[in-house]
Amino acid sequence: MPTYKAPLRDMRFVLHEWLEVHHHLKPLDVFADVDNELIDQVLEESSRFAENVIFPLNQTGDQEGCTYQEGEVKTPAGFKEAFRQYSQAGWLGLDADPDYGGQGLPKILGINVGEMIGSANTAWAMYPGLSRGAAHTIHAHGDEASKTLYIPKLLSGEWAGTMCLTEAHAGTDLGMIRTKAEPLDDGSFSLTGQKIFISAGEHDMTENIIHLVLAKLPNAPEGTKGISLFIVPKYLVNPDGSPGERNGIVCGSIEHKMGINGSATAVLNLDKARGYLIGGEHNGMRCMFTMMNAARLDTGMQGLSLGEVSFQNALAYARDRIQSRSISGTKAPEREADPIIVHADVRRMLLTQKAYNEGARAFANWLALQLDIEKNHPDDTARTDASDLVALLTPVAKAFMTDNGYEVCNLGMQVYGGHGYIKEWGMEQYVRDVRISQIYEGTNGIQALDLIGRKVLRDGGEKLKKFGKLVETFIKDNSANEAMSEFVGPLAKLGQDVQETTMWIGMQGMQNPDEVGAAATNYLRLVGHLVYAYLWASMAQVALSKTEDKDGFYKAKVHTARFYYAHLLPETSALKRKIKAGSKILLELDEDVFAF
Amino acid sequence: MPTYKAPLRDMRFVLHEWLEVHHHLKPLDVFADVDNELIDQVLEESSRFAENVIFPLNQTGDQEGCTYQEGEVKTPAGFKEAFRQYSQAGWLGLDADPDYGGQGLPKILGINVGEMIGSANTAWAMYPGLSRGAAHTIHAHGDEASKTLYIPKLLSGEWAGTMCLTEAHAGTDLGMIRTKAEPLDDGSFSLTGQKIFISAGEHDMTENIIHLVLAKLPNAPEGTKGISLFIVPKYLVNPDGSPGERNGIVCGSIEHKMGINGSATAVLNLDKARGYLIGGEHNGMRCMFTMMNAARLDTGMQGLSLGEVSFQNALAYARDRIQSRSISGTKAPEREADPIIVHADVRRMLLTQKAYNEGARAFANWLALQLDIEKNHPDDTARTDASDLVALLTPVAKAFMTDNGYEVCNLGMQVYGGHGYIKEWGMEQYVRDVRISQIYEGTNGIQALDLIGRKVLRDGGEKLKKFGKLVETFIKDNSANEAMSEFVGPLAKLGQDVQETTMWIGMQGMQNPDEVGAAATNYLRLVGHLVYAYLWASMAQVALSKTEDKDGFYKAKVHTARFYYAHLLPETSALKRKIKAGSKILLELDEDVFAF
């Protein structure tokens, strides 16, 4: 049976020692009361909840799964009670607006709480995650009445929420959705259609579910310009806020999936379901991006969450499992064999896990801080800069963190050898659970197109230059620091590579847009490595500056930074070559001769 | 629901046009009657069996799994009947000795039949696979009486076989096994202990199961030198060959696994089970390697088999699924959107699948031909050369083919987007099923140590030089061929890289053996790429030489070779850098500070 212990020491390093978060939050009025003590207290409380309440439901939830009967869905034993406890403790609205029942704490705190919840039980975490997403979207686009009616109950856990986008024939291409919304006399709408892949789409946790549904009004423009967003409650809401009549949105079935089996993935049939337009006619795509941008970072976090718990168990197993002797001579003469952590190849796997996880944690915290600044900083330029960095790096967070998370979970399973393949040991569940994160909320291929197309080339590289400036400043600041030269040199080189590669793709793309698509996935990984290389160098700089290191934490941090540079960054040399291979090799083969 | 069609066109290309197998089999007396017509006939018959009989049992077998009750195991519906049909048609003994009921056909034919069976149903294929392995081992190490008693019934499918190696505390390190074998007065032995992870260890397919069990005699030397091999039938065999008394080897439970759910993975409890020593006292390790070498290539084949069926379905889906428009303008104006195969990033995934699969098929066929030559060639030098190439490249086949197979199956699932994660569509099963191939029969990390340590460095690179010679000869033969220059140049460069890297590791390893372990995994991939680069160049040369190409097959072959060189070979530049990073970065961090 796997175990989980929240990585509080590393979280505190990232927040207090590396980012110095208090310094950044101070100028943001709304967080005037958020001091380091409060942050640590929240982290500790949430670690107890994650470790003691929901982690014990992780394997049982996977085994039991959700069950469907006549429109109703039963979640695994314990899920409902844990959701009740979680809501009552106020975790649902941790970083939400206090005017509507939130606690008004910074996103950067929410991201760390989210990591722990996801490590403990990713399937369970889907339910509060979707509620939060729905509340967030209503907050951004709903009128005052909607906000007052729905958000407090979504954040109190009395009700839950969903996001209903996908249809069987329309996943990536939401412009093709067919769900229709006919106007009714009272200003509401009658929605008919079918939605699939709806996470938390039906369950037994709450007395009501507030669905946010994309549909098309009559005579809507073609494609994504014709999409509108509607609030469609499972039970219509009475004027006093109590649930009333059952609405015509009914779960037709749930999917049987590779993983996250405790999370209900519903087919929802809408048959003249009553809905309420939010965000204005044909404005659904904009509203949807509000939902999706937050969801993309949260999805990226699943890569870290599952990677972290996989690493912890692989490490424990590697220290405990004895098998063969070290190639350079016996290391544990008192035991029948050496623990497998003495083998260099096992170390390679563990260090890869550690380096990707801690890099992801730094990235997520840094990005969450930009989100807090974007929303709350008094200075316009500071807000714009943060907003640009968030826009640029959200697809990187989603794709790079989940691709790495999948590798990390596979390595954790590999460390276990044959036991890794057996359900009882828990490692294969992490592989199955994390796999979906590369697919949903826009496949990682779509993230790559978003990055190179919309975020980099569309503004002539302006946003990328803002990030490049941070890297350049760091390099300048550390160029005289000899202890940092092992990082500064390769970082500068990689920064130039990214710049040069971006220019190359931009030039090629002007001749032939397919070149952009051909380069996209490899380009996203190249940028991801630049981001992590910058973050690792920056963390190493902080760790190197410490004069005291009682427990060896800083030594380990510097060592892991070195490992990142020595073993993970070399991928960039392959990425550059693949990008330069161009689009012709991908596209010129006639599809008819693809297979024989 | 996925589909499967055996890739006969490519198999015929590999066998007849590229390898010119008939030319190689001719000098081997035993295969005098094996002409191309016979080969094609066998391929076609086995493709029908794979497509029509066992492929339909693949998803149902995964869903139903095996069930355990009081020592008995029930296999999924249809498995037993398919096994009966398969055995009766003579497939079990296809490439086995005719003196004991085999058909005496070449291994190179067996490997292609095996690919199809594995594509159709890998879990089912485990049962005949284990029977064949047991027969093969008894053939190599048993006395005449044992051969006559067991092999014909193993090959007729009346009985089945297993290999019982692993114990709970002894997987990689078999020297630690504790199962004891006490001599009895009649020359047989009494075995007591527990074996785990025994594939096909218990089932309802046959009237008897012949277990091959590793155990230790009293006062056996320590470690692997003290292991002996025993035949332990489930039912003791009467003098007339009929099953007699139930033996003391009983299934205690079966594992719940990530995949290959139709394959029973048993815990076997031996309580004074009667066993018969084969291969001599304390000679079990040598016997085991007979089993394992064949099994390693077969395991590598699982990477190809599952990769092939994943590719076929991903390709069909990519041509059928419409979603968005091509980035360079509408390609299918008559449809509501373009099929996703127009997108360069989807092409990247499909071509990666195709290039790894066809490379693996070429590799497996080439290696199987070496096995046929090793066993049957009249010339001593030819046999020794073939034997050296087999020894060198078996770990590469096991690890490189399965690591690539896992990537290929994950890409196939990714092409499906959200549907890839849903069991009904079948793509996630291939990912789950293929994952074990990286672990069992020696983890891929162990294969890497076997390659660099035992196969390359131990004889000072002699075996590697034999392979290098083939590459050099090919380069020389094609150096004047301008059409081949795009392959010859990079191949020569990679050959030098491998040579230089091997020397470097050898030199480092003399100072510090940990350097060998540190380099192993990346080195195996480097050698794997050299092998595939050689095979792809060689196939391209044949395809380029064709003057007629009615169906575009040769064009596709050359194109895929180019894709391999442009998109997959670049990994080698990263591998070289990682190898040169050395062992210190992996080993110097104190294990106590690994986690916080």
Side-chain angles (χ1 to χ4, degrees), chain A residues 13 18 470-493 532-546 554 557-562 565 569:
Chain A
F13 169 80
W18 174 59
L470 296 177
V471 177
E472 278 165 37
T473 305
F474 176 84
I475 290 169
K476 225 175 82 187
D477 290 350
N478 289 279
S479 58
N481 183 348
E482 206 177 311
M484 283 295 292
S485 65
E486 61 180 311
F487 303 112
V488 167
L491 178 62
K493 169 77 172 57
Y532 278 33
Y534 164 63
L535 299 173
W536 268 116
S538 170
M539 289 193 288
Q541 187 262 316
V542 170
L544 283 166
S545 73
K546 303 288 178 178
Y554 304 115
K557 188 62 80 180
V558 174
H559 186 91
T560 310
R562 284 185 184 132
Y565 274 68
L569 269 197

Side-chain angles (χ1 to χ4, degrees), chain A residues 292-315:
Chain A
M292 297 223 317
N293 271 330
R296 282 177 179 185
L297 176 53
D298 288 348
T299 304
M301 288 304 292
Q302 296 182 338
L304 168 57
S305 289
L306 290 161
E308 171 65 28
V309 67
S310 176
F311 167 66
Q312 290 187 13
N313 285 283
L315 176 61

Side-chain angles (χ1 to χ4, degrees), chain B residues 156-335:
Chain B
S156 71
E158 285 166 89
W159 299 349
T162 74
M163 292 160 37
C164 304
L165 282 53
T166 304
E167 300 181 5
H169 57 286
T172 297
D173 189 357
L174 287 170
M176 287 167 74
I177 63 165
R178 293 183 194 142
T179 298
K180 291 272 168 238
E182 302 278 349
L184 299 173
D185 290 342
D186 64 355
S188 69
F189 294 81
S190 168
L191 278 77
T192 299
Q194 188 184 60
K195 295 287 175 179
I196 67 164
F197 296 166
I198 308 309
S199 297
E202 181 57 56
H203 55 75
D204 54 3
M205 289 195 176
T206 53
E207 62 174 25
N208 203 359
I209 301 175
I210 309 305
H211 302 286
L212 293 178
V213 181
L214 288 183
K216 287 189 170 178
L217 294 167
N219 308 317
E222 290 238 323
T224 53
K225 291 194 182 78
I227 298 173
S228 302
L229 185 65
F230 300 86
I231 297 178
V232 184
K234 176 179 170 184
Y235 290 97
L236 293 171
V237 179
N238 292 324
D240 66 352
S242 66
E245 197 187 327
R246 181 71 167 87
N247 201 1
I249 182 166
V250 176
C251 178
S253 61
I254 56 173
E255 305 290 350
H256 300 97
K257 309 186 298 294
M258 185 188 201
I260 55 167
N261 289 322
S263 167
T265 305
V267 172
L268 289 180
N269 296 313
L270 293 93
D271 182 13
K272 297 182 183 154
R274 185 169 295 235
Y276 308 94
L277 182 69
I278 65 166
E281 289 188 3
H282 315 316
N283 198 27
M285 206 62 191
R286 226 192 88 224
C287 303
M288 203 194 68
F289 272 110
T290 305
M291 292 195 265
M292 296 223 319
N293 271 330
R296 282 177 178 184
L297 176 54
D298 287 348
T299 304
M301 288 303 292
Q302 295 182 339
L304 168 57
S305 289
L306 290 162
E308 172 65 29
V309 67
S310 177
F311 167 66
Q312 289 187 13
N313 286 283
L315 176 61
Y317 187 83
R319 298 180 70 172
D320 183 57
R321 172 78 171 176
I322 59 166
Q323 206 78 177
S324 305
R325 292 295 181 187
S326 163
I327 202 168
S328 56
T330 296
K331 298 288 182 290
E334 74 289 1
R335 299 177 76 177

Side-chain angles (χ1 to χ4, degrees), chain B residues 542-564:
Chain B
V542 170
L544 284 166
S545 73
K546 303 288 179 179
T547 47
E548 212 179 75
D549 189 14
K550 276 186 197 155
D551 54 7
F553 178 89
Y554 303 115
K555 190 183 163 196
K557 189 61 83 180
V558 174
H559 186 91
T560 309
R562 284 184 184 134
F563 175 83
Y564 194 92

Side-chain angles (χ1 to χ4, degrees), chain A residues 171 323-324 354 421 432 594, chain B residues 171 173 323 354 421 432 594:
Chain A
Q323 206 78 177
S324 306
K354 186 173 167 68
Y421 200 66
R432 288 186 290 108
F594 243 82
Chain B
D173 189 357
Q323 206 78 177
K354 185 173 167 69
Y421 200 66
R432 287 185 292 108
F594 243 83

Side-chain angles (χ1 to χ4, degrees), chain A residues 373-413:
Chain A
I373 293 170
E374 175 188 14
K375 202 170 152 195
N376 300 296
H377 204 286
D379 179 62
D380 284 352
T381 314
R383 283 204 310 278
T384 306
D385 286 350
S387 171
D388 282 350
L389 291 170
V390 166
L392 175 75
L393 294 176
T394 295
V396 179
K398 196 281 184 181
F400 197 61
M401 287 170 70
T402 58
D403 283 346
N404 297 341
Y406 192 58
E407 185 182 340
V408 165
C409 290
N410 272 293
L411 289 171
M413 182 176 161

